[in-house]
Amino acid sequence: MRKPNQRLILTLGLGWAAFAALGLGLRQLLAGPSVTVIIDRSYCAPAQWQQLANQYADLYAQQEQQEITIAQVVYVSDLGQEIAKAVPSPEAVQALSTYGRSSPTQIQQATANYPDATLLTCSN
């Protein structure tokens, strides 16, 4: 026969474990869709880059409101693709420099690698 203290500790432990599992399950269930953002870093006029940065800021705000989750950000240029180590802030995206020509081949490859991604580009 178990001592009453052991039964109480076991019951409380199992209860907290179930509560934690339920919380994690609900968090996953209620989380917004996961989004990959592709940013074309080819040269943009400053006003166009500002528009692109504003579009990213809107996506970032949706993430802050837990409507979506930005899974990753992929930068594309005529030199290739680079995956950001962490999801950048809108200020960091706005501060990026643009360079080179737009590379339709690189953009097509990136959108093929991430078919459900959101593409932000100045060359529309």
Side-chain angles (χ1 to χ4, degrees), residues 28 31-39 56 59-60 62-64 66-75 82-88 113-118:
Q28 292 297 322
S34 182
V35 176
T36 296
V37 179
I38 300 173
I39 298 177
Y56 179 78
L59 290 172
Y60 194 84
Q62 289 178 30
Q63 174 174 272
E64 292 291 307
Q66 299 179 346
E67 295 172 7
I68 65 169
T69 300
I70 299 176
Q72 63 185 348
V73 175
V74 180
Y75 300 116
E82 176 187 351
I83 298 174
K85 290 179 176 44
V87 175
N113 291 342
Y114 308 100
D116 295 331
T118 299

Side-chain angles (χ1 to χ4, degrees), residues 76-87:
V76 177
S77 69
D78 56 352
L79 300 176
Q81 299 177 25
E82 176 187 351
I83 298 174
K85 290 179 176 44
V87 175

Side-chain angles (χ1 to χ4, degrees), residues 6-103:
Q6 286 178 330
R7 291 176 73 187
L8 177 63
I9 291 171
L10 179 64
T11 302
L12 287 175
L14 290 175
W16 278 107
F19 182 71
L22 179 64
L24 289 173
L26 285 175
R27 181 177 178 197
Q28 292 297 322
L29 183 67
L30 298 177
S34 182
V35 176
T36 296
V37 179
I38 300 173
I39 298 177
D40 179 9
R41 288 191 59 188
S42 61
Y43 176 75
C44 276
Q48 286 180 305
W49 186 254
Q50 181 63 48
Q51 287 178 333
L52 185 145
N54 288 343
Q55 290 173 341
Y56 179 78
D58 290 343
L59 290 172
Y60 194 84
Q62 289 178 30
Q63 174 174 272
E64 292 291 307
Q65 296 168 359
Q66 299 179 346
E67 295 172 7
I68 65 169
T69 300
I70 299 176
Q72 63 185 348
V73 175
V74 180
Y75 300 116
V76 177
S77 69
D78 56 352
L79 300 176
Q81 299 177 25
E82 176 187 351
I83 298 174
K85 290 179 176 44
V87 175
S89 68
E91 294 79 18
V93 170
Q94 185 171 355
L96 289 172
S97 59
T98 60
Y99 54 87
R101 293 182 174 179
S102 180
S103 174

